[in-house]
Amino acid sequence: MISDRVKVGVQQAPHRSLFNALGFTEEEMKKPLIGIVSSYSEIIPGHMNLDKITEAVKLGVAEAGGMPVVVPAIAVCDGIAMGHIGMKYSLVTRDLIADSTECLAKAHGFDGLVMIPNCDKNVPGLLMAAARINIPTIFVSGGPMLAGHVNGKKRSLSSMFEAVGAYDAGKINAEELRNFEENVCPTCGSCSGMYTANSMNCLTEAIGMGLRGNGTIPAVYSSRIRLAKHAGNQIMYLVKNQILPRDIMTREAFMNALTVDMALGCSTNTMLHLPAIAHEAGIEINMEIANEVSAKTPNLCHLAPAGPTYMEDLNEAGGVYAVMKELAKKNLLTLDIPTVTGKTMAENIEDAVNLNPEVIRPIDNPYMPNGGIAVLKGNLAPDTGIVKRSAVVPEMMVHEGPARVFDCEEDAIKAITTGKIVPGDVVVIRYEGPKGGPGMREMLNPTSAIAGMGLGSSVALITDGRFSGASRGASIGHVSPEAAVGGPIALVHEGDIISIDIPNNKLELKVSDEELAKRRAEWKPREPKVTDGYLKRYCALVTSGNRGAILELPKEWK
C-alpha cells in the first residue's frame, strides 16, 4: 500500500506517533488510508450539505475495510462572486484546488481518494487532481438544488438575475423582485438548471468517474446519502483492484463526455474544463473537434436556462444513463471502457430507461439534430469562440449588427441597464479573458440584463471572457486570442459591423484586412488590471481560453 511509507517500519515510528495523536488505533493503521476530499463550507449553498455527504462516505469506507480521513478543498460560489472583483477569483481556484489536493494526497500517502465537490470549479479541479495523482479515486457530489416556484412556475437562479433586468426596465416592481429573491433558491444544492456545476457533475458520470445518479439526484433526497455510502464502499473495490483514474479517463471516455455534453446542452464552461482535465491525463483535446461531435449528436434535453425543465426532472426521467442509452441507439458512444463501478459503460447503462420523452427526447425526435454547443471561427475569433446553441432563439442564429464596445463588464452593464443598447446591437466586452481579466470572469449579469430588458431576441453579446451556464441567448464567449494578447477582439471599433452565423460556425468582423493590419500596428498592450497576489502569478502562467485556460510555464522559465 502507498500508505505503508507513512505507517510501516522503524523509520516510520515518528509518523505512527502522530497517527496515535489523531486517535488512530493499531488496527486502523493497518487499513488502507482513504483521503476524503470534502469541499464543505458555510458560504456556498451547493456545499452546505457536504458535511452529511462526507459522514456517509466515511461510513461506507469504514464498512468496506478502509480508514477514512477527511481533508479540505476550497471553492468559490460563482453566484455570490458574480458581477464584482470576486468573479476574478472563480476560475483561478480550479488550479488551486488541483494543486492543493495533489499536495495533500502525496504528503500523507493516501491509498485512495473520494472526491466530494459540487460547484463550478471544484468539480473540474478535483477531476484534474485525480488524473494528475492517479491513485484509485471516485466522485460523489452534493447534488442539485430543487427548482424554486414563483407565480406557479418553476424557477432557478438565472430567473433571479433576469428579474433584476426586468426591474431595471420597469417591467416588474420591487415587491415582485422580492418574490423572486425569496423563492428561486429553495434548498441547498448546486443551482437547479443545467449550469456549470450540474453539467460537470453529469459529465463525471459520462466519463466514468461517478456512480449512477451522481449528477442528478437532488441534494435533499435521502438517496443522495445512500449514493455517498455506496461511493465509500466502492473506493475500497477500486483500491483492491488498483483501478486508476487514467485507466478510466481515456480519450474514448472524454469523447463520450463531449457527446453527452452535446446531448444534454451543457454549460459552455465545459469547453474550458474538459481540455484541462484531459491535459492532466496526458491527452490533448482540440476544441475544434466539438463541431465534429456536435454535427452527429442530437440535442436531447432543454434544461433551464434553455427550456422549462430542471435537474430534478432529468433525474426522474432516468438521469444521465438514460441519455446515454438513447445515444447508444445510434452508436454514438464507446461503451466497452472501464468505469468506477467496476463494470463497463455498456453494463452500466444496460437497464437504463427513458421515463419521460419530453425531458429526454428519444434519439429519433430530438430538440435539435445537432449538439447544444457550437465552436465559431472567423477573423474575429481565429482560434475559437463558444456559444450554447441550444439556448439561442431561432431569430438570433444568424445576426449582423453594429459593435458596441466595452473594455470591462461593469461599463457594459451600465449601458445595458440605462437603455443605451438597442435592438440589433452586438455588445462586445473585452479585456476579460484569462490574462486580461485576469481570471476570465463570467458574464451572467450582462446576459441576464439583456434578457430582462427584453432584448434577448435582438441583441448579441461577444466576449473574451466566459458565460455562466445560466446564461442564454446569442452569447459568444471564450473568443481567442483574447484582447490582452492582441487578438482581433482588441481591434474592434465602436460601430463596426459584426456578423454571427451559428449554423455555419462563423464569427466575422466586417472590416478589411488592410484596416485590421493598420489597427494592429497601432495597438498597444494594456497594463494588467491586477498587479499583486495570486492573480498576478495566474496572469503570468495562464494560456488561452481555447486551450482550456491551463497553466503553463513561460518558455523563458523552462
Tab-separated table of all heavy atoms in Angstrom, residues 379 508-520:
chain	number	residue	atom	x	y	z
A	379	ASN	N	-12.462	35.823	-38.648
A	379	ASN	CA	-11.401	36.796	-38.397
A	379	ASN	C	-11.524	37.498	-37.051
A	379	ASN	O	-10.573	38.115	-36.583
A	379	ASN	CB	-11.333	37.826	-39.540
A	379	ASN	CG	-12.537	38.754	-39.570
A	379	ASN	OD1	-13.572	38.479	-38.964
A	379	ASN	ND2	-12.423	39.845	-40.315
A	508	GLU	N	-17.524	36.834	-37.786
A	508	GLU	CA	-16.722	37.709	-38.651
A	508	GLU	C	-16.882	39.179	-38.286
A	508	GLU	O	-17.985	39.643	-37.953
A	508	GLU	CB	-17.124	37.523	-40.117
A	508	GLU	CG	-16.860	36.128	-40.687
A	508	GLU	CD	-15.400	35.887	-41.014
A	508	GLU	OE1	-14.634	36.880	-41.080
A	508	GLU	OE2	-15.018	34.720	-41.205
A	509	LEU	N	-15.773	39.911	-38.362
A	509	LEU	CA	-15.762	41.359	-38.249
A	509	LEU	C	-15.694	41.922	-39.660
A	509	LEU	O	-14.746	41.635	-40.411
A	509	LEU	CB	-14.544	41.798	-37.432
A	509	LEU	CG	-14.338	43.301	-37.198
A	509	LEU	CD1	-15.486	43.885	-36.389
A	509	LEU	CD2	-13.005	43.546	-36.495
A	510	LYS	N	-16.692	42.704	-40.045
A	510	LYS	CA	-16.780	43.201	-41.421
A	510	LYS	C	-15.875	44.419	-41.607
A	510	LYS	O	-16.306	45.550	-41.836
A	510	LYS	CB	-18.235	43.573	-41.747
A	510	LYS	CG	-19.204	42.395	-41.708
A	510	LYS	CD	-18.927	41.428	-42.841
A	510	LYS	CE	-19.994	40.352	-42.937
A	510	LYS	NZ	-19.830	39.456	-44.063
A	511	VAL	N	-14.579	44.161	-41.498
A	511	VAL	CA	-13.543	45.172	-41.677
A	511	VAL	C	-12.467	44.566	-42.565
A	511	VAL	O	-12.135	43.382	-42.426
A	511	VAL	CB	-12.950	45.600	-40.307
A	511	VAL	CG1	-11.760	46.528	-40.493
A	511	VAL	CG2	-14.010	46.282	-39.452
A	512	SER	N	-11.921	45.339	-43.469
A	512	SER	CA	-10.951	44.815	-44.428
A	512	SER	C	-9.665	44.384	-43.730
A	512	SER	O	-9.321	44.872	-42.643
A	512	SER	CB	-10.611	45.878	-45.477
A	512	SER	OG	-9.872	46.936	-44.888
A	513	ASP	N	-8.958	43.464	-44.360
A	513	ASP	CA	-7.674	43.007	-43.835
A	513	ASP	C	-6.697	44.167	-43.699
A	513	ASP	O	-5.900	44.227	-42.752
A	513	ASP	CB	-7.080	41.935	-44.751
A	513	ASP	CG	-7.881	40.639	-44.734
A	513	ASP	OD1	-8.692	40.460	-43.799
A	513	ASP	OD2	-7.704	39.821	-45.657
A	514	GLU	N	-6.760	45.098	-44.648
A	514	GLU	CA	-5.848	46.245	-44.620
A	514	GLU	C	-6.120	47.127	-43.397
A	514	GLU	O	-5.193	47.584	-42.712
A	514	GLU	CB	-5.993	47.072	-45.900
A	514	GLU	CG	-5.518	46.373	-47.170
A	514	GLU	CD	-6.497	45.333	-47.683
A	514	GLU	OE1	-7.674	45.340	-47.224
A	514	GLU	OE2	-6.100	44.518	-48.531
A	515	GLU	N	-7.414	47.358	-43.116
A	515	GLU	CA	-7.765	48.178	-41.962
A	515	GLU	C	-7.384	47.472	-40.666
A	515	GLU	O	-6.884	48.112	-39.715
A	515	GLU	CB	-9.259	48.483	-41.978
A	515	GLU	CG	-9.786	49.230	-40.759
A	515	GLU	CD	-9.185	50.608	-40.556
A	515	GLU	OE1	-8.638	51.181	-41.537
A	515	GLU	OE2	-9.247	51.121	-39.425
A	516	LEU	N	-7.595	46.162	-40.607
A	516	LEU	CA	-7.212	45.424	-39.400
A	516	LEU	C	-5.703	45.462	-39.185
A	516	LEU	O	-5.224	45.596	-38.054
A	516	LEU	CB	-7.691	43.973	-39.492
A	516	LEU	CG	-9.175	43.720	-39.233
A	516	LEU	CD1	-9.504	42.255	-39.436
A	516	LEU	CD2	-9.586	44.167	-37.840
A	517	ALA	N	-4.931	45.360	-40.268
A	517	ALA	CA	-3.468	45.432	-40.164
A	517	ALA	C	-3.040	46.799	-39.631
A	517	ALA	O	-2.113	46.905	-38.804
A	517	ALA	CB	-2.834	45.161	-41.525
A	518	LYS	N	-3.711	47.857	-40.093
A	518	LYS	CA	-3.406	49.204	-39.617
A	518	LYS	C	-3.710	49.325	-38.125
A	518	LYS	O	-2.911	49.877	-37.351
A	518	LYS	CB	-4.225	50.222	-40.405
A	518	LYS	CG	-4.034	51.656	-39.960
A	518	LYS	CD	-4.951	52.592	-40.741
A	518	LYS	CE	-4.862	54.024	-40.205
A	518	LYS	NZ	-5.797	54.934	-40.902
A	519	ARG	N	-4.862	48.808	-37.714
A	519	ARG	CA	-5.223	48.868	-36.299
A	519	ARG	C	-4.264	48.052	-35.440
A	519	ARG	O	-3.903	48.451	-34.328
A	519	ARG	CB	-6.657	48.372	-36.100
A	519	ARG	CG	-7.723	49.241	-36.733
A	519	ARG	CD	-9.117	48.663	-36.468
A	519	ARG	NE	-10.157	49.359	-37.202
A	519	ARG	CZ	-11.454	49.069	-37.142
A	519	ARG	NH1	-11.861	48.065	-36.358
A	519	ARG	NH2	-12.349	49.749	-37.844
A	520	ARG	N	-3.851	46.903	-35.965
A	520	ARG	CA	-2.935	46.047	-35.205
A	520	ARG	C	-1.595	46.754	-34.987
A	520	ARG	O	-0.982	46.650	-33.913
A	520	ARG	CB	-2.729	44.713	-35.929
A	520	ARG	CG	-1.846	43.728	-35.156
A	520	ARG	CD	-1.888	42.339	-35.743
A	520	ARG	NE	-3.130	41.644	-35.401
A	520	ARG	CZ	-4.118	41.417	-36.250
A	520	ARG	NH1	-4.019	41.827	-37.514
A	520	ARG	NH2	-5.205	40.788	-35.871
